[in-house]
Amino acid sequence: MSEIIKVQGLSKVFGQHTVLKDIDLSINSGEVTCIIGASGSGKSTLLRCINLLEDPTGGQILFHGQDILTGKLNIPTYRSKVGMVFQSFNLFNNLNVLDNCMVGQIKVLKRDREAAKAQALKYLDKVGMTPFINAKPRQLSGGQKQRVAIAREIAMDPEVLLFDEPTSALDPQMVGEVLTVMRNLASEGFTMAVVTHEMAFARDVSNKVAFMSDGVICEEGTPAEIFTNPHQPQTREFLARFMNS
Amino acid sequence: MYSLPDGFFQRIIYILQHFGGSLLRGAGLTLLVAFVGTVIGCIIGFICGVAKTIPIEKNDTVFKKIMLRIVWIIIDVYVEVFRGTPMMVQAMFIYYGSLLVLGIDMPMMFAAFFIVSINTGAYMAETVRGGILSIDEGQTESAKAIGMTHGQTMFNIILPQALRNIMPQIGNNLIINIKDTCVLSCISVVELFFASKSIAGTYFTYFETFTVTMVIYLIMTVFFSKLLRFIENRMDGPENYDLATTDTLAHTSGMYNYPDKKEHKK
């Protein structure tokens, strides 16, 4: 498995508050990496640092062995290769569903309209949103928005897809429809890093699970290791609380 | 001299008959100055508002950081000066100042457009900045996340939404401009107020003339406020959308716009 992204000794400090401490994590090609942990443990901040939406305070983020924090790399180009799906969907409110999936391809990747449209339609079909290409985001349900957001990202042909709690703002039924899409992507071999509270998804779909607590990766391993035989007391406590609820 | 009839309404009719043309020309000039001034003012406002929201990134060169700060200071001074002084005073200052100090004899109309434009621009700069700030941070983040630069994000995602949000304020500015161009009479621009004052002065028919003038101003402002509301509704687009599918079951499953509906409307 080749490493696409390797995070080394990453730290992030907001004022006096240390959110991430000395994080090491690698995201391998074709693998699904799930990051679990309590709210406020730094999971989302880690993901946002990887996409440079937050400026890391220290450490390295290597993209194919090249450090992206040196300032020498073109950041927009890097971001276009690392897709991100947000908890709050963040579809472009001024554009309809089809244009949402085309604008990045046309403006960033400089594809021509026809190619962009074909690509957008292909992936909208994959997430089951083809009938809604003319709708504006405000006319869609949360689950539909998130599926469009996923299609928008994969239409850019990214090397990695980052998911920042993609189902946390949805009701149980919509969670199901979004997770189905994500399971399909995983089975097709998309490289994904997923911050989630969906333990069943993490257990069944991921190749690797990282448990975060208080800004550090407390434990990391295969789903079997983490879910059936966790070594750290914090991991055990967290999972016990989750499995009982 | 003509003989003036007695009675309020007779006098109004008399004024309309004899001076209707010059009132209309004045109204036309008022509209022209207000409209051109608002459009150019909006362009100035957009340039200033966009410039003021350019973020300074950690990796930017020192030159860019310094240039940006200088531009921001210039914009701040511009906004404070032109928002903080009366347009009438600005008109006198610029029109007579340019003639006496710089030796430039500005054409009257140029002076009118210039003064209204920079005045509107000063207000619009803050309005546009507010409009940009009003757009959810998530829109910027997701645009950046797919690799857009700040400029691409601004022009493709943020500004179209900000424009929609500040349309009511643009309408406000247009209406304020229709009314406030009357201060340009102080530099002898023959707009509606100047024309009315001349007519009123000829016969001392102040009340009658300005009744007509009031109505003309009101017609203009109401017309434009309705027009702008119409444009806003057009920008919002239709409430419903067409399902792009031939699966008739989809149309009956609680979704929007069964195709027949459109046929009925025609």
Side-chain angles (χ1 to χ4, degrees):
Chain A
M1 280 297 161
S2 69
E3 270 175 352
I4 298 181
I5 290 176
K6 189 174 174 63
V7 176
Q8 279 180 328
L10 191 80
S11 65
K12 174 69 185 172
V13 179
F14 287 111
Q16 301 279 311
H17 189 56
T18 306
V19 185
L20 295 178
K21 273 173 273 184
D22 199 22
I23 300 277
D24 292 322
L25 183 74
S26 55
I27 298 172
N28 298 327
S29 169
E31 284 190 358
V32 177
T33 306
C34 277
I35 304 166
I36 59 171
S39 297
S41 58
K43 311 182 296 294
S44 290
T45 309
L46 171 57
L47 217 56
R48 291 168 60 83
C49 279
I50 293 176
N51 207 358
L52 296 180
L53 289 174
E54 302 288 350
D55 233 350
T57 317
Q60 288 183 316
I61 298 173
L62 305 176
F63 180 65
H64 294 299
Q66 215 181 348
D67 190 0
I68 56 166
L69 299 178
T70 53
K72 290 185 188 118
L73 219 73
N74 183 293
I75 289 172
T77 309
Y78 164 72
R79 281 185 178 137
S80 72
K81 292 175 184 164
V82 180
M84 178 116 174
V85 175
F86 297 86
Q87 181 178 350
S88 50
F89 328 124
N90 295 345
L91 291 183
F92 303 134
N93 291 326
N94 55 320
L95 303 175
N96 67 21
V97 166
L98 184 61
D99 288 336
N100 258 282
C101 298
M102 286 169 63
V103 66
Q105 299 185 61
I106 293 170
K107 301 292 175 188
V108 179
L109 303 179
K110 311 293 179 198
R111 290 185 180 149
D112 66 66
R113 284 196 73 82
E114 288 310 308
K117 188 172 177 184
Q119 175 93 343
L121 287 174
K122 177 175 150 199
Y123 289 114
L124 281 168
D125 187 48
K126 194 188 281 286
V127 300
M129 287 300 290
T130 316
F132 302 94
I133 52 172
N134 296 322
K136 285 284 184 74
R138 66 186 149 92
Q139 293 161 323
L140 301 177
S141 72
Q144 291 173 328
K145 282 187 208 175
Q146 196 60 297
R147 285 187 282 150
V148 174
I150 292 171
R152 175 177 70 180
E153 297 306 325
I154 53 181
M156 299 287 291
D157 293 324
E159 294 184 38
V160 188
L161 272 175
L162 308 175
F163 291 81
D164 184 9
E165 301 196 29
T167 56
S168 296
L170 301 173
D171 71 33
Q173 188 197 339
M174 294 180 187
V175 168
E177 64 188 51
V178 171
L179 288 184
T180 306
V181 167
M182 289 170 64
R183 280 170 197 269
N184 291 340
L185 294 180
S187 67
E188 287 171 34
F190 276 90
T191 309
M192 296 157 58
V194 187
V195 166
T196 187
H197 290 300
E198 296 296 328
M199 293 304 144
F201 178 86
R203 191 185 56 212
D204 301 343
V205 180
S206 58
N207 304 86
K208 182 166 68 182
V209 178
F211 171 72
M212 281 185 76
S213 175
D214 291 325
V216 294
I217 290 182
C218 204
E219 191 166 353
E220 191 183 332
T222 63
E225 284 165 0
I226 299 284
F227 285 97
T228 54
N229 189 20
H231 293 293
Q232 301 293 331
Q234 293 103 311
T235 318
R236 255 177 253 152
E237 197 187 331
F238 175 79
L239 287 174
R241 216 177 299 149
F242 244 101
M243 295 310 173
N244 292 340
S245 62
Chain B
M1 288 296 256
Y2 310 102
S3 62
L4 199 63
D6 293 328
F8 179 68
F9 289 107
Q10 286 83 344
R11 285 188 174 186
I12 283 183
I13 289 165
Y14 182 87
I15 290 167
L16 285 177
Q17 278 171 345
H18 287 83
F19 302 105
S22 68
L23 282 173
L24 276 184
R25 272 193 298 279
L29 198 63
T30 290
L31 278 187
L32 181 68
V33 173
F35 189 78
V36 172
T38 307
V39 170
I40 298 176
C42 283
I43 293 169
I44 297 172
F46 268 94
I47 292 168
C48 293
V50 168
K52 284 221 70 175
T53 49
I54 294 174
I56 291 184
E57 312 260 358
K58 207 175 67 179
N59 298 332
D60 286 340
T61 57
V62 180
F63 177 74
K64 187 184 164 189
K65 285 178 186 171
I66 293 173
M67 282 309 291
L68 211 49
R69 298 237 179 251
I70 293 172
V71 170
W72 286 350
I73 291 170
I74 293 171
I75 293 173
D76 282 345
V77 170
Y78 159 66
V79 169
E80 292 306 332
V81 167
F82 284 94
R83 210 174 48 167
T85 53
M87 190 154 85
M88 203 171 193
V89 178
Q90 292 163 20
M92 299 291 242
F93 181 80
I94 290 170
Y95 184 61
Y96 294 111
S98 64
L99 185 61
L100 289 176
V101 180
L102 303 175
I104 303 168
D105 189 6
M106 261 190 219
M108 190 75 69
M109 286 311 289
F110 177 83
F113 290 140
F114 182 74
I115 290 156
V116 177
S117 299
I118 52 169
N119 210 282
T120 310
Y123 283 97
M124 284 303 297
E126 286 298 285
T127 305
V128 171
R129 197 172 66 85
I132 291 169
L133 294 181
S134 77
I135 303 303
D136 177 27
E137 186 65 21
Q139 300 282 310
T140 311
E141 284 189 349
S142 64
K144 282 186 177 166
I146 60 170
M148 286 195 190
T149 59
H150 175 75
Q152 286 172 333
T153 305
M154 213 34 139
F155 288 104
N156 295 298
I157 309 300
I158 307 299
L159 281 184
Q161 296 181 53
L163 177 66
R164 170 64 191 89
N165 285 359
I166 63 175
M167 272 306 283
Q169 189 55 32
I170 291 177
N172 257 351
N173 268 320
L174 178 59
I175 283 166
I176 288 172
N177 282 343
I178 290 174
K179 297 184 299 172
D180 283 7
T181 45
C182 72
V183 305
L184 296 175
S185 61
C186 73
I187 55 167
S188 308
V189 177
V190 191
E191 41 64 67
L192 182 55
F193 178 76
F194 192 96
S196 308
K197 215 170 65 170
S198 315
I199 296 163
T202 313
Y203 289 108
F204 297 102
T205 51
Y206 282 91
F207 183 49
E208 294 83 348
T209 308
F210 280 97
T211 306
V212 176
T213 308
M214 281 276 280
V215 172
I216 296 176
Y217 271 118
L218 199 59
I219 290 170
M220 295 195 293
T221 51
V222 170
F223 173 77
F224 275 99
S225 72
K226 295 290 173 208
L227 181 70
L228 281 154
R229 186 56 57 84
F230 174 76
I231 293 171
E232 274 180 45
N233 288 337
R234 284 292 297 270
M235 288 171 88
D236 285 340
E239 274 299 306
N240 295 341
Y241 55 88
D242 297 320
L243 277 180
T245 175
T246 49
D247 177 10
T248 46
L249 272 179
H251 294 294
T252 56
S253 60
M255 290 319 305
Y256 294 79
N257 265 26
Y258 191 73
D260 270 354
K261 247 188 187 171
K262 273 191 148 178
E263 299 302 317
H264 287 313
K265 272 183 196 163
K266 281 176 191 170

Short mmCIF file of all heavy atoms in Angstrom, two decimals, chain A residues 68-93:
data_model
loop_
_atom_site.label_atom_id
_atom_site.label_comp_id
_atom_site.label_asym_id
_atom_site.label_seq_id
_atom_site.Cartn_x
_atom_site.Cartn_y
_atom_site.Cartn_z
N ILE A 68 3.79 19.71 2.50
CA ILE A 68 2.94 20.77 1.96
C ILE A 68 2.97 22.03 2.81
O ILE A 68 2.40 23.05 2.43
CB ILE A 68 1.47 20.31 1.81
CG1 ILE A 68 0.93 19.82 3.16
CG2 ILE A 68 1.34 19.25 0.76
CD1 ILE A 68 -0.57 19.68 3.18
N LEU A 69 3.63 21.96 3.96
CA LEU A 69 3.61 23.13 4.86
C LEU A 69 4.78 24.07 4.60
O LEU A 69 4.89 25.11 5.25
CB LEU A 69 3.64 22.67 6.32
CG LEU A 69 2.44 21.82 6.74
CD1 LEU A 69 2.58 21.38 8.19
CD2 LEU A 69 1.15 22.59 6.56
N THR A 70 5.66 23.73 3.64
CA THR A 70 6.82 24.58 3.40
C THR A 70 6.46 25.85 2.63
O THR A 70 7.22 26.79 2.59
CB THR A 70 7.89 23.83 2.60
OG1 THR A 70 7.26 23.32 1.42
CG2 THR A 70 8.49 22.69 3.38
N GLY A 71 5.26 25.85 2.02
CA GLY A 71 4.87 27.02 1.24
C GLY A 71 5.33 26.96 -0.20
O GLY A 71 5.04 27.85 -0.99
N LYS A 72 6.08 25.91 -0.54
CA LYS A 72 6.57 25.82 -1.92
C LYS A 72 5.53 25.19 -2.84
O LYS A 72 5.51 25.44 -4.04
CB LYS A 72 7.87 24.98 -1.96
CG LYS A 72 9.04 25.69 -1.32
CD LYS A 72 10.32 24.89 -1.48
CE LYS A 72 11.44 25.52 -0.67
NZ LYS A 72 11.94 24.62 0.37
N LEU A 73 4.66 24.39 -2.25
CA LEU A 73 3.65 23.71 -3.06
C LEU A 73 2.46 24.64 -3.31
O LEU A 73 2.11 25.46 -2.48
CB LEU A 73 3.17 22.47 -2.29
CG LEU A 73 2.93 21.23 -3.15
CD1 LEU A 73 4.27 20.65 -3.57
CD2 LEU A 73 2.17 20.20 -2.33
N ASN A 74 1.86 24.49 -4.48
CA ASN A 74 0.68 25.29 -4.79
C ASN A 74 -0.51 24.71 -4.02
O ASN A 74 -0.94 23.59 -4.25
CB ASN A 74 0.42 25.23 -6.30
CG ASN A 74 -0.76 26.10 -6.69
OD1 ASN A 74 -1.89 25.82 -6.32
ND2 ASN A 74 -0.49 27.16 -7.40
N ILE A 75 -1.03 25.50 -3.07
CA ILE A 75 -2.04 24.97 -2.17
C ILE A 75 -3.36 24.64 -2.88
O ILE A 75 -3.90 23.56 -2.67
CB ILE A 75 -2.24 25.92 -0.97
CG1 ILE A 75 -0.99 25.84 -0.09
CG2 ILE A 75 -3.46 25.53 -0.15
CD1 ILE A 75 -0.93 26.83 1.02
N PRO A 76 -3.89 25.54 -3.75
CA PRO A 76 -5.12 25.15 -4.44
C PRO A 76 -4.98 23.84 -5.23
O PRO A 76 -5.90 23.02 -5.24
CB PRO A 76 -5.38 26.34 -5.37
CG PRO A 76 -4.79 27.49 -4.65
CD PRO A 76 -3.55 26.94 -4.00
N THR A 77 -3.84 23.63 -5.88
CA THR A 77 -3.65 22.39 -6.64
C THR A 77 -3.69 21.19 -5.70
O THR A 77 -4.32 20.17 -5.99
CB THR A 77 -2.30 22.42 -7.39
OG1 THR A 77 -2.24 23.64 -8.11
CG2 THR A 77 -2.17 21.25 -8.34
N TYR A 78 -3.00 21.34 -4.55
CA TYR A 78 -3.02 20.26 -3.56
C TYR A 78 -4.45 19.98 -3.11
O TYR A 78 -4.89 18.83 -3.06
CB TYR A 78 -2.14 20.63 -2.37
CG TYR A 78 -2.37 19.79 -1.14
CD1 TYR A 78 -1.94 18.47 -1.10
CD2 TYR A 78 -3.05 20.31 -0.04
CE1 TYR A 78 -2.18 17.69 0.02
CE2 TYR A 78 -3.29 19.53 1.08
CZ TYR A 78 -2.84 18.22 1.10
OH TYR A 78 -3.09 17.45 2.21
N ARG A 79 -5.19 21.03 -2.80
CA ARG A 79 -6.55 20.85 -2.29
C ARG A 79 -7.45 20.18 -3.32
O ARG A 79 -8.37 19.43 -2.97
CB ARG A 79 -7.15 22.19 -1.90
CG ARG A 79 -6.68 22.69 -0.55
CD ARG A 79 -7.43 23.95 -0.23
NE ARG A 79 -7.10 24.50 1.06
CZ ARG A 79 -6.90 25.79 1.27
NH1 ARG A 79 -6.98 26.65 0.26
NH2 ARG A 79 -6.63 26.23 2.47
N SER A 80 -7.20 20.49 -4.61
CA SER A 80 -8.06 19.87 -5.64
C SER A 80 -7.84 18.37 -5.69
O SER A 80 -8.68 17.63 -6.21
CB SER A 80 -7.78 20.51 -7.00
OG SER A 80 -6.52 20.08 -7.49
N LYS A 81 -6.72 17.89 -5.15
CA LYS A 81 -6.46 16.46 -5.15
C LYS A 81 -6.93 15.80 -3.85
O LYS A 81 -6.84 14.59 -3.70
CB LYS A 81 -4.96 16.20 -5.33
CG LYS A 81 -4.49 16.59 -6.72
CD LYS A 81 -3.01 16.44 -6.84
CE LYS A 81 -2.57 16.94 -8.21
NZ LYS A 81 -1.12 17.17 -8.25
N VAL A 82 -7.34 16.62 -2.89
CA VAL A 82 -7.81 16.12 -1.61
C VAL A 82 -9.23 16.66 -1.39
O VAL A 82 -9.41 17.81 -1.05
CB VAL A 82 -6.88 16.58 -0.47
CG1 VAL A 82 -7.36 16.06 0.87
CG2 VAL A 82 -5.46 16.11 -0.73
N GLY A 83 -10.21 15.81 -1.65
CA GLY A 83 -11.59 16.26 -1.53
C GLY A 83 -12.02 16.32 -0.08
O GLY A 83 -11.46 15.64 0.77
N MET A 84 -13.00 17.17 0.22
CA MET A 84 -13.47 17.27 1.59
C MET A 84 -15.00 17.36 1.62
O MET A 84 -15.59 18.15 0.89
CB MET A 84 -12.87 18.52 2.24
CG MET A 84 -13.31 18.75 3.65
SD MET A 84 -11.90 18.62 4.77
CE MET A 84 -12.64 19.11 6.31
N VAL A 85 -15.59 16.53 2.46
CA VAL A 85 -17.05 16.56 2.65
C VAL A 85 -17.30 17.04 4.07
O VAL A 85 -16.71 16.53 5.01
CB VAL A 85 -17.65 15.15 2.42
CG1 VAL A 85 -19.13 15.14 2.73
CG2 VAL A 85 -17.40 14.70 0.99
N PHE A 86 -18.18 18.05 4.18
CA PHE A 86 -18.37 18.72 5.47
C PHE A 86 -19.62 18.24 6.18
O PHE A 86 -20.57 17.78 5.56
CB PHE A 86 -18.49 20.24 5.25
CG PHE A 86 -17.27 20.88 4.68
CD1 PHE A 86 -17.07 20.91 3.31
CD2 PHE A 86 -16.31 21.46 5.50
CE1 PHE A 86 -15.94 21.51 2.76
CE2 PHE A 86 -15.19 22.05 4.96
CZ PHE A 86 -15.00 22.08 3.60
N GLN A 87 -19.61 18.44 7.49
CA GLN A 87 -20.79 18.13 8.28
C GLN A 87 -21.99 18.95 7.83
O GLN A 87 -23.11 18.46 7.76
CB GLN A 87 -20.49 18.42 9.75
CG GLN A 87 -21.62 18.12 10.69
CD GLN A 87 -21.25 18.39 12.14
OE1 GLN A 87 -20.10 18.63 12.46
NE2 GLN A 87 -22.24 18.36 13.00
N SER A 88 -21.75 20.21 7.50
CA SER A 88 -22.86 21.10 7.13
C SER A 88 -23.02 21.21 5.62
O SER A 88 -23.51 22.21 5.11
CB SER A 88 -22.63 22.47 7.75
OG SER A 88 -21.33 22.92 7.46
N PHE A 89 -22.58 20.20 4.88
CA PHE A 89 -22.75 20.04 3.43
C PHE A 89 -22.02 21.11 2.61
O PHE A 89 -21.25 20.80 1.73
CB PHE A 89 -24.23 19.99 3.01
CG PHE A 89 -25.15 19.38 4.03
CD1 PHE A 89 -26.25 20.07 4.51
CD2 PHE A 89 -24.88 18.12 4.53
CE1 PHE A 89 -27.08 19.49 5.47
CE2 PHE A 89 -25.70 17.53 5.48
CZ PHE A 89 -26.80 18.23 5.96
N ASN A 90 -22.33 22.40 2.90
CA ASN A 90 -21.68 23.51 2.19
C ASN A 90 -21.78 23.43 0.68
O ASN A 90 -20.82 23.70 -0.03
CB ASN A 90 -20.21 23.62 2.60
CG ASN A 90 -20.05 23.98 4.06
OD1 ASN A 90 -21.01 24.41 4.69
ND2 ASN A 90 -18.87 23.81 4.59
N LEU A 91 -22.96 23.05 0.18
CA LEU A 91 -23.18 23.18 -1.26
C LEU A 91 -23.21 24.65 -1.60
O LEU A 91 -23.59 25.48 -0.77
CB LEU A 91 -24.51 22.54 -1.66
CG LEU A 91 -24.59 21.02 -1.55
CD1 LEU A 91 -25.94 20.54 -2.06
CD2 LEU A 91 -23.48 20.35 -2.34
N PHE A 92 -22.82 24.99 -2.83
CA PHE A 92 -22.85 26.39 -3.24
C PHE A 92 -24.30 26.80 -3.45
O PHE A 92 -24.97 26.33 -4.36
CB PHE A 92 -22.03 26.59 -4.51
CG PHE A 92 -20.61 26.14 -4.35
CD1 PHE A 92 -19.99 25.37 -5.31
CD2 PHE A 92 -19.88 26.51 -3.23
CE1 PHE A 92 -18.68 24.94 -5.15
CE2 PHE A 92 -18.57 26.10 -3.06
CZ PHE A 92 -17.97 25.31 -4.03
N ASN A 93 -24.78 27.70 -2.61
CA ASN A 93 -26.21 28.02 -2.60
C ASN A 93 -26.69 28.74 -3.84
O ASN A 93 -27.88 28.76 -4.13
CB ASN A 93 -26.53 28.89 -1.37
CG ASN A 93 -26.38 28.10 -0.09
OD1 ASN A 93 -26.66 26.90 -0.06
ND2 ASN A 93 -25.90 28.75 0.96
#
